[in-house]
Amino acid sequence: VTHLPDFIKGAEERIFKSVDLEIFRKNVTTSFTANDKFLTLPDDYLASFSMQITSSGNETFLLQKDVNFLQEAYGASSAGTPRFYAQFDSNNFIVAPTPSSNFAAELHYYYRPDSLTVGATSGTTWLSTNAPFALLFGSLVDAYIFMKGEPDLIQQYEKRFTDQLTRLKDYGEARENTDAYSEGLPKTQRT
């Protein structure tokens, strides 16, 4: 019983990293400090979609590159308006060239929402309300593996979880982010 929160968190994590849902995207604004090429990642950060800066009233999107590219191409001494960014480590982004001014920045990213196990604000979460069976079967898979359950039953739970993930992917990656007026209805095969 004490491991129930672990099973729920495990299922949530598998869902967050398997399905691209608009509900799990967030924007934050911040600013760079002149002569500091690092920017702290938000605590709930999972992956970035885009980063833009404002310079002289103009908004410019930075291109995401590998850290090695930034360090080799720009070195430690170049300063100016950033053009590129990368995730440097688990706590920081790095940009190049190094900001020559306190540029305003906006980060659009995929975030980890509060878990159902911490009570969220209303005692429910988006997943527990809108994808309860994905959460249930994901939790059952982890729980039954922990209990060293029968392989055939684990496979059944895994299949049910996979079916629910597929339905969630259909919603999140086909229906949720398309415009039926200009794009027509989604053309992905429904399951």
Side-chain angles (χ1 to χ4, degrees):
V1 172
T2 60
H3 290 285
L4 286 176
D6 299 330
F7 305 143
I8 294 168
K9 287 179 189 174
E12 290 171 333
E13 195 69 21
R14 287 175 69 185
I15 293 168
F16 297 148
K17 292 184 177 172
S18 299
V19 183
D20 181 12
L21 295 168
E22 300 253 345
I23 192 74
F24 300 128
R25 293 184 185 190
K26 186 188 271 190
N27 282 339
V28 293
T29 55
T30 186
S31 63
F32 289 101
T33 303
N35 302 314
D36 183 2
K37 61 184 173 183
F38 296 103
L39 185 66
T40 304
L41 274 80
D43 292 337
D44 57 0
Y45 175 87
L46 286 176
S48 59
F49 288 104
S50 65
M51 183 184 296
Q52 73 181 42
I53 62 166
T54 303
S55 172
S56 302
N58 296 320
E59 294 178 346
T60 305
F61 283 91
L62 305 183
L63 298 175
Q64 189 171 17
K65 294 287 188 179
D66 185 74
V67 172
N68 296 326
F69 169 83
L70 300 183
Q71 291 176 331
E72 184 175 325
Y74 289 92
S77 61
S78 65
T81 303
R83 295 182 50 212
F84 305 101
Y85 77 105
Q87 186 172 343
F88 183 74
D89 58 25
S90 60
N91 297 315
N92 297 288
F93 285 115
I94 184 172
V95 295
T98 301
S100 59
S101 181
N102 296 341
F103 296 109
E106 182 176 341
L107 174 67
H108 182 64
Y109 68 102
Y110 186 54
Y111 78 102
R112 178 181 284 109
D114 288 339
S115 173
L116 181 61
T117 63
V118 296
T121 52
S122 65
T124 63
T125 63
W126 189 93
L127 283 178
S128 71
T129 302
N130 296 289
F133 295 111
L135 195 53
L136 170 66
F137 288 113
S139 299
L140 286 173
V141 168
D142 288 350
Y144 212 56
I145 289 171
F146 177 79
M147 293 174 17
K148 299 179 182 149
E150 298 296 322
D152 59 330
L153 196 50
I154 291 172
Q155 286 179 335
Q156 288 180 23
Y157 289 151
E158 185 67 43
K159 182 183 179 326
R160 297 286 301 269
F161 176 66
T162 303
D163 290 346
Q164 293 299 317
L165 268 184
T166 301
R167 286 174 180 22
L168 201 53
K169 284 178 84 60
D170 282 349
Y171 168 74
E173 297 170 12
R175 296 182 189 149
E176 181 185 50
N177 57 14
T178 58
D179 175 8
Y181 178 74
S182 61
E183 302 276 332
L185 293 174
K187 297 189 180 14
T188 58
Q189 183 177 357
R190 306 269 195 234
T191 54

